[in-house]
Amino acid sequence: GLDGPFYGPIVEAVVMRSGSNLQKTPCVGAVEPEYAFKMARDYPAAGETVSAETLADAVDTVHIAIEVIGRALGHQDFANGIGVTMDFGGNVAFVVGPEVADWASQDLANAPVTALVDGEEVATGNGEPVMGDPINSLLWLAQSLAAEGKGLKAGEWVSTGTCTPPVPAKAGSTTTARFGDFGEVSVNFV
């Protein structure tokens, strides 16, 4: 029932490194391969205009990542859009993968992204479904926060939205997201 993008927090306690184990509960729904921006500084600074040019300067690094989606607060209903936005935006865990070297000169929109479960390809995509380019998602968030008198903080992660259709999480399996030449990131469901 939502008519546009939304945002929610990533809780520091659920940020993990690639290859980590995550308990598969009924509330853990699916995996989304995403790009993640780590902020170098608070943005926007006092008096700074929010724009693509000033935003790029505020980014420290870009990583390939996996967002594990579901219901963090224990409800198993995944269909209610408003309920999901109130439940940490559907974020259960955030898995950080390798850094994308020289990210500003890379074509994040068109780099191929493949999701695999136990080595078998199950979904493909790229960064184009993420508002045309993942950087546009970050810009949208910065503009939305600025409109509320808020901003992004140094050291914060911003995960930008899925590059493939969501991949259901399965107990006893490993889900891997392969981002072309940028590398792989994975999570083991136990």
Side-chain angles (χ1 to χ4, degrees):
L2 303 175
D3 60 3
F6 65 91
Y7 63 89
I10 296 174
V11 181
E12 187 173 1
V14 299
V15 176
M16 55 188 64
R17 294 285 165 209
S18 181
S20 293
N21 295 331
L22 181 65
Q23 184 176 2
K24 171 61 177 100
T25 68
C27 296
V28 173
V31 166
E32 295 182 340
E34 305 190 5
Y35 287 97
F37 293 82
K38 188 164 190 178
M39 302 307 296
R41 62 178 176 86
D42 291 357
Y43 181 83
E48 184 175 23
T49 301
V50 176
S51 69
E53 295 76 25
T54 60
L55 178 60
D57 177 63
V59 173
D60 182 20
T61 57
V62 176
H63 295 252
I64 60 174
I66 288 174
E67 180 182 15
V68 180
I69 60 171
R71 299 301 295 264
L73 298 180
H75 194 283
Q76 297 175 32
D77 176 15
F78 297 101
N80 182 332
I82 294 173
V84 170
T85 62
M86 294 172 61
D87 189 0
F88 297 94
N91 179 272
V92 173
F94 174 63
V95 184
V96 180
E99 180 180 341
V100 176
D102 193 24
W103 72 269
S105 67
Q106 303 294 340
D107 185 358
L108 303 181
N110 293 302
V113 179
T114 306
L116 306 104
V117 175
D118 295 331
E120 181 180 334
E121 184 178 305
V122 295
T124 60
N126 57 33
E128 194 276 330
V130 186
M131 304 181 94
D133 190 307
I135 191 74
N136 294 338
S137 177
L138 181 63
L139 181 60
W140 171 84
L141 177 61
Q143 291 169 333
S144 298
L145 291 173
E148 297 175 8
K150 302 175 187 174
L152 298 164
K153 302 295 181 197
E156 285 185 330
W157 287 103
V158 178
S159 190
T160 58
T162 190
C163 297
T164 72
V167 176
K170 298 179 186 175
S173 69
T174 297
T175 301
T176 302
R178 183 178 296 146
F179 287 74
D181 294 335
F182 303 148
E184 296 181 353
V185 56
S186 65
V187 61
N188 306 307
F189 292 104
V190 297

